[in-house]
């Protein structure tokens, strides 16, 4: 795998190519028109760019300078989410990419605390996660699952699990460019029950508000 890779194993060249698949419209519909958004873990701007296109000023945070170099039309901040302190608050804080499913319970608390620290009193946090039903399906058969994101063919291959934490390998192929490399990314993700999720939110000073999609992979939280 050539090119820059972030500390958590994400290939930058791949993330430059991945298109949004409806997520920005879902976020846009859940927040006030033109509301400023603090996006935590923006990557190369996959969600950032459509959100600015919807008229939202975005402050985009990532701990990879290589990722941030590809973000346009937004204020960029190079920082780790869990230690971020901009000394200001936003009407909307966005935490996408299943970051709250980290196997590290302490890190999850710090991520959610960063959301709380930057949220206006009447603001809203928009969070993406993998719900328990997703893990239950994967744990039941442990077979690779393939799909597409634009021209990118994505195969998730479960490797092992202990009933709570899943170890998996994700493989990406650019079908629109036969000479493009194949990217791989190994990751671990934790099954959270709804009670555990609510407890984590409460511990950060947040409370669950509502689901945003039929699959219940997106939800909002408020103070």
């Amino acid at each position: 795998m050539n090119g820059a890779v972030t500390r958590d194993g994400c290939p930058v060249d791949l993330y430059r190519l991945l298109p949004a698949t409806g997520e920005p419209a879902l976020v846009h519909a859940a927040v006030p028109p033109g509301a400023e958004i603090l996006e935590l873990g923006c990557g190369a701007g996959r969600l950032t760019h459509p959100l600015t296109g919807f008229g939202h000023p975005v402050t985009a945070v990532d701990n990879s300078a290589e990722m941030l170099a590809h973000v346009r039309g937004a204020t960029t901040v190079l920082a780790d989410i869990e230690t971020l302190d901009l000394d200001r608050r936003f009407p909307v804080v966005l935490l996408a990419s299943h970051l709250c499913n980290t196997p590290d319970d302490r890190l999850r608390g710090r991520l959610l605390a960063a959301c709380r620290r930057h949220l206006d009193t009447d603001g809203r946090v928009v969070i993406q996660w993998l719900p328990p039903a997703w893990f239950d399906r994967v744990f039941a058969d442990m077979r690779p699952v393939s799909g597409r994101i634009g021209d990118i063919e994505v195969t998730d291959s479960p490797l092992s699990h202990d009933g709570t934490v899943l170890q998996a390998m994700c493989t990406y192929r650019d079908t629109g460019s036969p000479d493009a490399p194949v990217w791989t990314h190994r990751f671990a993700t934790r099954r959270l029950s709804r009670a555990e999720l609510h407890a984590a939110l409460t511990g950060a000073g947040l409370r669950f508000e509502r689901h945003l999609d039929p699959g219940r992979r997106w939800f909002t939280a408020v103070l």
Side-chain angles (χ1 to χ4, degrees), residues 35 42 60 73 112 144-145 149 154 156 173 181 196 200 203 207:
C42 65
L112 293 173
V145 177
I149 305 176
V154 183
D156 287 320
R173 293 178 175 82
E196 289 169 328
R207 62 179 175 86

Side-chain angles (χ1 to χ4, degrees), residues 5-149:
V5 177
T6 63
R7 287 185 310 191
D8 61 350
C10 297
V12 176
D13 286 343
L14 166 68
Y15 277 74
R16 290 175 53 215
L17 297 176
L18 289 175
T21 56
E23 303 96 334
L26 184 149
V27 174
H28 173 65
V31 303
E36 187 173 6
I37 297 174
L38 174 63
E39 183 185 3
L40 301 176
C42 65
R46 188 175 74 90
L47 305 187
T48 316
H49 301 146
L51 287 170
T52 60
F54 279 124
H56 297 282
V58 176
T59 296
V61 178
D62 205 276
N63 63 6
S64 167
E66 291 84 1
M67 287 285 198
L68 287 176
H70 299 287
V71 176
R72 61 186 186 275
T75 300
T76 58
V77 177
L78 177 64
D80 291 320
I81 297 170
E82 61 270 26
T83 57
L84 181 71
D85 191 348
L86 297 178
D87 195 28
R88 59 166 299 200
R89 294 171 181 260
F90 295 78
V92 180
V93 178
L94 173 60
L95 185 69
S97 301
H98 319 122
L99 291 175
C100 74
N101 288 100
T102 173
D104 186 334
D105 294 339
R106 183 170 178 269
L107 176 58
R108 180 181 312 105
R110 297 180 72 193
L111 295 173
L112 293 173
C115 295
R116 168 66 178 84
R117 188 162 58 244
H118 292 93
L119 188 64
D120 276 344
T121 303
D122 57 352
R124 177 171 287 123
V125 186
V126 181
I127 299 176
Q128 182 184 21
W129 77 316
L130 292 170
W134 183 89
F135 287 90
D136 295 342
R137 288 193 297 270
V138 173
F139 290 170
D141 56 33
M142 294 293 286
R143 290 180 297 180
V145 177
S146 295
R148 294 177 69 91
I149 305 176

Side-chain angles (χ1 to χ4, degrees), residues 152-193:
I152 307 299
E153 181 183 76
V154 183
T155 301
D156 287 320
S157 301
L159 302 175
S160 64
H161 74 86
D162 62 3
T164 300
V165 176
L166 172 70
Q167 302 283 344
M169 180 74 74
C170 200
T171 304
Y172 304 85
R173 293 178 175 82
D174 184 359
T175 60
S177 179
D179 297 328
V182 174
W183 296 279
T184 58
H185 179 205
R186 181 164 177 160
F187 65 95
T189 187
R190 185 186 190 281
R191 183 191 187 277
L192 292 173
S193 69

